[in-house]
Amino acid sequence: FCYCCVYMVHSKTTYIGHFLNTDITNGGEKLIILASGIAAVIVLITNTLRRRQLLWVFEYFPKIDKSFERIGIRWNYTKVLQNVIWRLIFMGFIFSITLIIYIGCWIRLHALPSWQLIYITLAQLIGISFTVLLFNSLMMSTKLRIKALNKVSKFYVRRIF
């Protein structure tokens, strides 16, 4: 990622640079690339720091599942797996459509950006999408466990009263 940012600044190949080549646009592009580089570094650092907490959550789920098994609740993981697979297929479809639109625009405008520029654009989209997918699957797993806990608590409240 850093190589691509440095290459784009050095060779002056950006989306805006293909159409407008003024000092103002070149300065703005350098600031955008610098800001996205700083943002990428910050995201990587925070992801590394938060990685331990995320791993703890995923390690703790099997322990919770064993506790539920002791009280007679079995999990059907196919619902979560189907959800993740459908979302991955949808993401692939969206990325394919996005890439086709990009290529169509480039051909129509007779402009072919460098592979570094294409990589930076797609890497950011893919990174954000996978982060959302991971968060969504984590929340769905948590929701299933909370629903099961709710059912168990309602069952025991009815037995007591």
Side-chain angles (χ1 to χ4, degrees), residues 82-132:
Q82 283 177 343
N83 188 336
V84 170
I85 289 173
W86 280 112
R87 289 182 189 273
L88 282 172
I89 291 170
F90 181 71
M91 280 174 35
F93 176 73
I94 293 297
F95 289 137
S96 299
I97 295 296
T98 303
L99 194 57
I100 289 169
I101 291 171
Y102 277 169
I103 291 171
C105 289
W106 295 329
I107 289 172
R108 195 164 184 159
L109 297 171
H110 303 291
L112 182 64
S114 64
W115 69 267
Q116 291 90 351
L117 184 59
I118 295 169
Y119 171 78
I120 285 180
T121 304
L122 293 179
Q124 290 173 351
L125 290 172
I126 291 170
I128 290 169
S129 298
F130 275 113
T131 303
V132 169

